[in-house]
Amino acid sequence: MSNISPELKQKLEDLPGKPGVYLMKDTRGKIIYIGKAKSLRNRVRTYFSSVDESNPKAAALKRKIADFELMVTDNEIEALILEANLVKKHRPRYNVNLKDDKRFPYLKLTQDDDFPRLIVTRRNDRPDGIYFGPFANAGAMREMYRMISRLFKLRDCKLKIPHPKGGGKYKVCLQYHIKRCDGPCEALVSKAQYDLEVQKVLKLLQGKTASLIEQLQSEMIQLSERQDYEEAARVRDQIAAIKSVMQKQKVSDVEGGNRDIIAFARSDDDCSAVVLQLREGLLIGRQNYHLRTGKGDGETEIAEQFFKQYYVSASQIPEEIYSSYKPEDEAVIRSWLTEKRGGRVDLKFPQIGEKARIVEMAESNARLLLGELVRQKQERSSKLPHAIAALQKDLYLRKPPVDICAFDISNLGETNPVGSMVYFRNGKPLKANYRHFRIKTVGGQDDFAMMREIVSRYFTRVLAEEADSPDLCLIDGGRGQLNAALAALDELGVEDQQICGLAKRLEEVVLPQEKHMLTLPKTSASLKLLQQVRNEAHRFAITYHRKLRDKKTAKSLLDSIPGVGAKRKELLLKAFPSIEAISSASLEEINQIVRHSATAKAVRDFFDNQIEEANLRSTPELKTEESETS
């Protein structure tokens, strides 16, 4: 601890011996790791002791820690919940993270009205409904949603029922006529009758299929006794459809009950997890996950992080959970799940017998999933375009620059300075990802500051949306522009971003860590790709600059015409792409836009006078007879 600052030493001395969560930060103040501890004093101090070089991840983490923050809790369970939520929010680099779990959809049964709906959503943080999911397999979720829509008559409209205007009425839609809805909008079904359908859907989503089928069979018999054969046939079809779907998912030789089967498969930095959801002995769902791990992560750490991140947002927790990996804090996780479920939860790690066979089945799924993931990565690397592979080799990049973004500034004079960002994927423009920037914070002609601004604005948005960063960032310019971009990335805490500059004069490549510029052969595919991307960024910036300049010129000219106010000026600028187009338009065309004959004539006369004056200026003066004589 000799190289630790006095302030940090004092923080370590003052560490409490209570449970809680610690957030490790780097020199920029960015959170790089989040953990929990039974005793913060004992756990946090280990990060500032001697480095264990045998664990590369732990060694790298310890070298980067510059500060820490604490959150004290009353007990370990509170610390576990807080840690899981913070990891999900901040997604620190050195934590095991579920990849893209925030994007998984849920089924939500609304509870904020008298006639609930079943909807698909990607948020589960609102208290106005019952959530089911998340579903890693969106296709299977959609299939279940379609089946429920077909079998049960829940409305799918967004109407407020009853009508907010008291005596107001709605008209039934097509769903009513095709017998997919009973028409609560026109009060054609009572709330009590509608609630019966809602309870059936609830049972199906909770996996209580045996109870649901028993209820439907009883209902079918009653309808038959009342000689309501059409409705009885509908219920019969419901039973047949549910049995058919459930039979396909039945796991043989498994005792009844509700349980989750969790299994993992690893290969280097890749890890896959599979969760089989068994309800009443039936396999009702399978969730597949890709975990972001490090080489130093052990099985216990992977299992613990997965349990916390998966169950912190799970809508249902079964009585039993089987797992192929044993989490580190098994007792704490069991207590947390028991408290969350409101009933006992058993964690089991079977090695022999029928239960081990089920876990092995889940492991087989996980291995297949991992194999597919590794194969896709290999295919992507082997099918790289020649220019991409050449660029990776020539610039000594860690990973192939499949996605390249390029930044440029257009600053002709001191008016309308703009920036552009173009995006290439596999060597081809991806125009949906292009971006324009109006310079907001820089005055004068400071290209470096402008480059810093647009790079900062773009990557701020990338971080806010938790989107993937491009593989390579290309800066149009030399060392000064590149350093400005690097300063923006450093300020945002963006690490490991591959970046380079392309100087215009000699087409030399500027690399961050290299003192000398890199000269590529003029015929090389890598230089041609960089030039193509840079030129596209330049074209995009120039086009935007000209558009703003022309628009400003057009506004100033139109302001000189009597009768053309702000509204008509806006109409003209929207209808015609440039001031030249307005000046070339006929009186009838202008009148169709401004809808006022006098104003249209004033616009036409204004440009006619301008054209006449321009012609006079361009015509040579004729010598007079008197001047010739003299």
Side-chain angles (χ1 to χ4, degrees):
M1 294 174 59
S2 57
N3 59 343
I4 298 176
S5 66
E7 294 81 5
L8 199 54
K9 279 186 178 180
Q10 188 60 49
K11 288 182 74 173
L12 291 170
E13 289 294 327
D14 296 338
L15 283 169
K18 296 181 178 181
V21 172
Y22 53 92
L23 296 83
M24 296 301 183
K25 301 181 178 181
D26 61 12
T27 54
R28 303 177 185 86
K30 182 181 179 181
I31 298 171
I32 56 175
Y33 185 77
I34 298 174
K36 67 169 181 62
K38 184 177 182 179
S39 170
L40 289 170
R41 173 184 290 271
N42 297 339
R43 178 64 65 85
V44 174
R45 284 186 172 186
T46 62
Y47 289 90
F48 298 90
S49 58
S50 58
V51 176
D52 180 12
E53 296 294 342
S54 63
N55 187 331
K57 175 184 172 181
L61 172 61
K62 288 181 180 181
R63 282 193 290 268
K64 291 196 173 184
I65 293 174
D67 195 7
F68 62 86
E69 182 181 335
L70 302 179
M71 295 185 183
V72 178
T73 59
D74 289 336
N75 52 60
E76 280 189 88
I77 295 178
E78 286 185 7
L80 182 146
I81 298 170
L82 179 58
E83 179 202 11
N85 285 315
L86 289 174
V87 168
K88 191 170 185 179
K89 177 182 178 182
H90 295 288
R91 306 181 71 81
R93 179 181 177 185
Y94 289 96
N95 280 91
V96 175
N97 285 296
L98 293 186
K99 187 177 181 182
D100 294 338
D101 64 318
K102 63 186 181 299
R103 299 178 185 173
F104 294 150
Y106 293 80
L107 286 176
K108 172 183 174 182
L109 194 60
T110 63
Q111 290 185 309
D112 58 346
D113 48 41
D114 291 340
F115 296 90
R117 298 178 297 132
L118 185 67
I119 61 175
V120 178
T121 181
R122 292 187 182 271
R123 297 185 59 176
N124 69 334
D125 55 350
R126 295 179 178 175
D128 58 348
I130 303 173
Y131 293 88
F132 301 91
F135 294 91
N137 187 339
M141 181 274 297
R142 292 282 179 184
E143 184 179 346
M144 176 176 284
Y145 178 76
R146 285 192 293 268
M147 183 192 76
I148 291 172
S149 301
R150 188 176 69 251
L151 297 181
F152 303 99
K153 297 183 179 182
L154 297 192
R155 69 188 182 100
D156 62 0
C157 62
K158 297 181 180 179
L159 299 176
K160 295 291 184 183
I161 304 175
H163 199 287
K165 292 186 178 179
K169 290 184 178 181
Y170 300 109
K171 288 185 177 181
V172 291
C173 63
L174 178 64
Q175 293 293 98
Y176 173 79
H177 295 293
I178 63 174
K179 299 186 178 180
R180 292 281 182 87
C181 177
D182 281 334
C185 54
E186 281 197 26
L188 300 177
V189 61
S190 67
K191 185 179 183 306
Q193 289 174 304
Y194 191 89
D195 283 344
L196 289 176
E197 293 291 289
V198 172
Q199 293 305 315
K200 293 173 187 176
V201 172
L202 195 57
K203 281 186 177 181
L204 182 61
L205 291 172
Q206 290 174 339
K208 299 177 181 178
T209 51
S211 174
L212 174 59
I213 290 173
E214 185 179 337
Q215 177 186 343
L216 290 173
Q217 286 173 336
S218 175
E219 187 177 325
M220 180 179 64
I221 292 170
Q222 292 176 11
L223 289 167
S224 299
E225 290 174 350
R226 294 205 301 265
Q227 297 184 358
D228 190 349
Y229 299 119
E230 183 178 350
E231 190 64 18
R234 188 180 73 86
V235 176
R236 178 202 62 202
D237 293 341
Q238 286 181 336
I239 296 170
I242 294 169
K243 282 184 176 180
S244 174
V245 172
M246 293 301 110
Q247 188 62 35
K248 291 177 185 177
Q249 298 176 333
K250 187 165 180 66
V251 180
S252 59
D253 300 325
V254 177
E255 59 192 64
N258 300 328
R259 57 180 60 84
D260 285 347
I261 314 297
I262 303 175
F264 303 88
R266 275 193 86 184
S267 173
D268 296 329
D269 292 340
D270 293 311
C271 182
S272 294
V274 168
V275 182
L276 303 180
Q277 298 172 316
L278 277 71
R279 301 295 182 263
E280 298 184 3
L282 299 178
L283 179 63
I284 68 164
R286 189 188 91 167
Q287 312 290 348
N288 300 331
Y289 295 92
H290 175 209
L291 282 74
R292 190 182 70 193
T293 63
K295 291 182 179 178
D297 293 321
E299 292 183 359
T300 56
E301 183 176 358
I302 290 173
E304 180 180 340
Q305 292 295 331
F306 180 82
F307 269 77
K308 288 184 286 192
Q309 293 182 57
Y310 177 76
Y311 285 110
V312 73
S313 58
S315 56
Q316 295 181 54
I317 297 176
E319 297 92 354
E320 290 184 336
I321 300 172
Y322 299 167
S323 176
S324 63
Y325 285 2
K326 191 173 185 177
E328 188 174 357
D329 289 338
E330 177 192 343
V332 177
I333 289 176
R334 181 186 289 109
S335 299
W336 166 55
L337 293 174
T338 297
E339 182 179 301
K340 187 175 173 69
R341 178 178 175 269
R344 181 178 174 82
V345 176
D346 288 330
L347 300 183
K348 298 181 179 180
F349 315 96
Q351 303 297 318
I352 58 173
E354 186 62 29
K355 295 175 182 177
R357 187 191 71 79
I358 298 300
V359 174
E360 172 59 31
M361 181 182 70
E363 279 187 314
S364 298
N365 281 274
R367 286 192 291 269
L368 288 171
L369 183 66
L370 180 63
E372 180 67 17
L373 176 68
V374 172
R375 185 185 62 78
Q376 288 175 358
K377 289 177 68 175
Q378 291 173 345
E379 285 183 355
R380 284 197 297 268
S381 62
S382 64
K383 291 182 179 179
L384 286 176
H386 171 66
I388 300 291
L391 189 58
Q392 181 184 11
K393 180 181 176 182
D394 291 343
L395 269 56
Y396 313 104
L397 302 175
R398 297 183 310 278
K399 57 181 179 178
V402 176
D403 286 359
I404 304 175
C405 73
F407 293 90
D408 187 25
I409 298 294
S410 182
N411 184 25
L412 304 176
E414 297 189 2
T415 59
N416 303 320
V418 299
S420 71
M421 192 281 293
V422 299
Y423 204 97
F424 276 56
R425 177 166 292 165
N426 283 320
K428 296 180 180 179
L430 187 64
K431 295 195 175 182
N433 285 16
Y434 282 23
R435 295 290 181 269
H436 281 137
F437 303 91
R438 288 198 192 191
I439 302 302
K440 297 179 179 179
T441 63
V442 182
Q445 292 180 283
D446 189 342
D447 282 4
F448 299 157
M450 292 179 189
M451 182 62 72
R452 180 169 181 168
E453 178 187 326
I454 66 173
V455 171
S456 177
R457 284 166 60 184
Y458 174 70
F459 278 94
T460 296
R461 183 168 183 174
V462 169
L463 293 172
E465 296 177 354
E466 299 186 11
D468 293 331
S469 297
D471 300 317
L472 177 65
C473 181
L474 175 63
I475 303 300
D476 181 21
R479 181 70 63 184
Q481 283 87 350
L482 180 62
N483 287 339
L486 287 169
L489 296 176
D490 187 65
E491 185 179 349
L492 294 172
V494 177
E495 298 178 345
D496 301 327
Q497 173 62 52
Q498 299 184 139
I499 186 171
C500 70
L502 185 61
K504 291 186 179 73
R505 192 168 65 89
L506 297 175
E507 300 290 57
E508 294 174 312
V509 179
V510 190
L511 298 173
Q513 305 302 329
E514 299 293 331
K515 187 177 293 185
H516 302 290
M517 294 188 179
L518 179 66
T519 302
L520 299 175
K522 294 190 182 301
T523 57
S524 69
S526 51
L527 178 60
K528 288 181 178 179
L529 176 59
L530 289 178
Q531 290 172 328
Q532 180 188 1
V533 177
R534 189 272 314 278
N535 293 343
E536 175 66 358
H538 186 64
R539 180 201 66 78
F540 197 50
I542 288 291
T543 302
Y544 186 47
H545 185 275
R546 285 174 179 165
K547 181 180 178 181
L548 293 181
R549 186 186 60 194
D550 291 347
K551 194 171 182 180
K552 187 174 183 180
T553 303
K555 281 185 178 179
S556 61
L557 283 173
L558 294 175
D559 285 336
S560 308
I561 304 175
V564 178
K567 189 172 181 180
R568 285 180 178 142
K569 180 169 61 178
E570 184 180 352
L571 289 172
L572 286 167
L573 291 173
K574 281 185 178 180
F576 298 99
S578 64
I579 196 69
E580 289 80 6
I582 300 176
S583 67
S584 302
S586 66
L587 178 63
E588 292 75 16
E589 289 173 329
I590 296 172
N591 192 34
Q592 285 179 356
I593 304 302
V594 298
R595 301 287 184 180
H596 192 268
S597 57
T599 303
K601 187 174 186 307
V603 173
R604 187 62 268 162
D605 290 346
F606 175 82
F607 285 108
D608 287 342
N609 291 335
Q610 276 209 329
I611 293 170
E612 186 177 344
E613 289 175 6
N615 290 335
L616 287 174
R617 284 195 298 269
S618 63
T619 303
E621 291 186 12
L622 296 176
K623 293 181 179 180
T624 63
E625 189 173 327
E626 181 181 353
S627 62
E628 286 179 356
T629 305
S630 61

